[in-house]
Amino acid sequence: MYKPYGIIPPIITPFKEDGTVDLDAMVKMAVHLVDNGVHGLFPFGTTGEFYAVGDEEYVAALKAVRDAVKDKRDRYGNPIQLLAGCSHITTRGVIHLAHLVEEVGGYDAISVLTPMFVSQTQSELYNYFKTIAENTTLPVIMYNNKPKTNVTIEPATVSLLAHEVPNIIGVKDSTGDMTNTEEYLRLTMDVKDRFHVIMGRDTLIYAALHYGAPAAVASCANVAPRVVSDIYDKFHDGDWEGALAAQYRLAPLRIACGMGTFPEVIKEGLTLQGIPVGKCLDPIGELTVKEKEKLRNVLHDMKLI
């Protein structure tokens, strides 16, 4: 069964001026990230504006990313990990997307966000993830992003699913609540060989690694792939001081993501680096002139431009 590790960016989805996915730009972005040290790629996460594409573009982009890195290896000599975002407001909608990923092939697991808008009970969330897992051949990683969905997967629910459903192999925690992450880890310690807690808040990667998390899905790795990868690689090498320095170096960029509507800061950061990826789809607007200048200063201080 797949075991996630390292830094896995939720790769942005580049759009052309007409609002269609720019597959050429997405391929270049995938190669750029891998060449700068990341250990995997995750199309159609929250950062990838998963809600903005239909089935045809979804499948085409998954294939483009897969093919772009199929012959590449990370610093540990392993193939590049591939996760596919399968998020929808209904159970059947997620299962439909999961079957598309199965047809595409080459993906290690799917990531499933809690449903948006609907305020589920924990019992409903249990049934949601269990039903999805039972209807796909792929490993499933649950995705808790309470700040965006206002829905949380409580630690007790995660523990039940981890122990009872064999192909639910992890949870990504983007709550920013380190106690929540710790409880996910504590309550699944006895199945840690097959269930993995992934950090989803960029400012907490170093802390999560010390707690025992094996991986992080980091949106800022789109803009600073080498910096974010250094947190994991240096930690893995035993250079905790170097890993912490990389975490501190990253922090101003993650904090700057509070400007504008997410993930526009990520796309503007790439534009400032000379990597054309377009803007977010409407209704997300561009940063103001003042915000762009503030972001430019952050990237300059980080020596990223």
Side-chain angles (χ1 to χ4, degrees), residues 126 142 155-171 184 187-192 194-197:
Y126 174 88
M142 300 177 288
T157 305
V158 165
S159 180
L160 277 176
L161 289 160
H163 286 88
E164 295 179 7
V165 186
N167 65 322
I168 292 183
I169 58 103
V171 61
Y184 283 172
L187 295 176
T188 60
M189 281 185 62
D190 59 329
V191 289
K192 66 181 180 179
R194 65 173 183 80
F195 187 84
H196 315 280
V197 179

Side-chain angles (χ1 to χ4, degrees), residues 267-289:
K267 286 194 167 180
E268 181 63 28
L270 289 164
T271 298
L272 288 171
Q273 291 178 313
I275 302 173
V277 295
K279 67 177 292 295
C280 294
L281 288 189
D282 292 339
I284 299 176
E286 293 189 46
L287 301 182
T288 65
V289 172

Side-chain angles (χ1 to χ4, degrees), residues 29 33 219-225 253 265-266 269-270 273 299 304:
M29 188 68 192
L33 292 175
S219 60
C220 288
N222 280 280
V223 179
L253 175 59
V265 165
I266 301 297
L270 289 164
Q273 291 178 313
L299 296 181
L304 293 175

Side-chain angles (χ1 to χ4, degrees), residues 74-109:
D74 65 19
R75 81 185 290 249
Y76 305 102
N78 299 320
I80 303 304
Q81 302 164 84
L82 292 176
L83 309 182
C86 290
S87 295
H88 195 278
I89 200 168
T90 66
T91 304
R92 67 180 183 182
V94 175
I95 292 170
H96 170 70
L97 293 174
H99 291 167
L100 292 179
V101 180
E102 291 172 6
E103 291 172 13
V104 167
Y107 278 76
D108 296 294

